[in-house]
Amino acid sequence: MMGQIFTELLELVETKYGYEIVDQLLSNSKLHSGGSYTAIGTYNHIELLILVKNLSELVHIPINELVRDFGEAIFIKLILSHPQILGGISDSFELLSKIDSYIHVEVGKLYPRAQLPHFKYDQISDNHVHLHYRSTRPFASFAEGLLLGCGQYFNEKFIITRLLSADSSEMNVTFDIVRQQKALIHG
Ligand code: HEM
C-alpha cells in the first residue's frame, strides 16, 4: 500500500488526537517497517489494519468508523496531490463512473506497485447510483469515506447505504448512493 496513505493517516491522528497518541500507537503496534513511512515508499496493507485496530483501542472508536473518517479526510488530499487526474471532471457522478475506467488506471501508471480495487457503476436515475466495490483487501469502509469526501468536494451530500446480500463483506459490497445539493438540504 502506498506510503502516502500511511503518512496522511499519521498526520490526521496527530491533528485529531495529538502526537502522544501517534507515539503510543507506533510503539504499541510493533510494525515490520518500524513505522517510519515515506510518502513514496510501499508498505504492507496489513500494517494499516494493525495501526487502525490499535488506534481503535486507544481512542475507543470502532475500527470501521475510524477507517471511514480517514477515507473522508484523505479524498481532498488525493485530489490536491494529483490535480491532473481530475482534469475535465466537473460532476460527482461522472467521477464515480470513471474510478475504474480512468482514475485508478492513471493512478496505476503513476504507481505501478499500487493495488487497486474494482468498481462497477450503475446509474439508477439523475441523482441515484449503485456502486459495486470489490477488492482483494477489506477496505469497503475506506471506500465509503472516500465517497463521502467526494460528495463534499462537489458541495453535495451523499446519502450512502450498503445493499446487503449473502456475499457482502468489507471486500465486496454495493453502495446505494443518493446525492443532494447542499443548498437544497434543510435542517
Ligand atoms: C470516490 C472516488 C474514489 C474511491 C471510492 C476510491 C477507492 C479506493 C479504495 C477503496 C482504495 C483502497 C484499496 C482497496 O480497496 O483495495 C483506493 C486506493 C487508492 N486510490 Fe482511490 N478511490 C477514489 C478516487 C481516487 C482518486 C481521485 C485518486 C487520485 C487522484 C485515487 C487514488 C488512489 C490511490 C493512490 C490509492 C492507493 C493504492 C495503494 O495504496 O496501493 N483514488 N481507492
Side-chain angles (χ1 to χ4, degrees):
M1 189 151 214
M2 285 174 49
Q4 186 189 359
I5 307 284
F6 288 83
T7 55
E8 301 284 7
L9 174 68
L10 294 182
E11 218 177 285
L12 195 75
V13 174
E14 181 164 348
T15 312
K16 265 191 134 162
Y17 306 105
Y19 69 87
E20 293 90 349
I21 293 283
V22 176
D23 266 5
Q24 227 172 311
L25 182 60
L26 290 175
S27 60
N28 288 357
S29 301
K30 300 191 179 52
L31 302 161
H32 189 65
S33 70
S36 49
Y37 304 110
T38 63
I40 52 163
T42 309
Y43 307 90
N44 190 324
H45 75 278
I46 303 287
E47 292 209 355
L48 193 83
L49 298 173
I50 295 173
L51 283 172
V52 176
K53 177 176 172 292
N54 289 342
L55 179 65
S56 161
E57 283 163 13
L58 278 172
V59 300
H60 308 292
I61 296 177
I63 293 176
N64 286 356
E65 213 173 295
L66 285 172
V67 174
R68 193 192 55 217
D69 289 354
F70 173 51
E72 187 170 356
I74 206 178
F75 181 83
I76 185 71
K77 309 250 180 162
L78 284 175
I79 295 286
L80 291 177
S81 56
H82 303 86
Q84 75 286 6
I85 289 186
L86 207 66
I89 298 179
S90 54
D91 176 84
S92 60
F93 279 8
E94 183 190 356
L95 189 149
L96 301 191
S97 73
K98 290 185 173 165
I99 304 172
D100 228 40
S101 61
Y102 171 66
I103 297 174
H104 280 171
V105 174
E106 293 303 308
V107 169
K109 287 184 199 160
L110 286 173
Y111 312 103
R113 295 179 68 189
Q115 292 173 285
L116 296 156
H118 288 291
F119 286 94
K120 196 170 139 294
Y121 178 89
D122 191 4
Q123 182 129 16
I124 310 294
S125 64
D126 277 1
N127 294 311
H128 185 191
V129 296
H130 287 168
L131 190 68
H132 180 241
Y133 163 85
R134 186 166 44 81
S135 176
T136 53
R137 294 160 324 150
F139 287 123
S141 296
F142 183 58
E144 191 172 333
L146 286 165
L147 292 169
L148 290 169
C150 174
Q152 276 175 29
Y153 179 80
F154 288 96
N155 201 30
E156 294 167 352
K157 183 176 171 62
F158 279 6
I159 298 158
I160 304 174
T161 41
R162 294 186 187 202
L163 299 179
L164 295 177
S165 65
D167 62 350
S168 356
S169 69
E170 277 291 299
M171 297 162 85
N172 176 25
V173 72
T174 301
F175 296 108
D176 177 281
I177 307 168
V178 174
R179 68 174 169 186
Q180 294 180 340
Q181 303 300 321
K182 279 264 166 78
L184 301 178
I185 299 164
H186 300 287

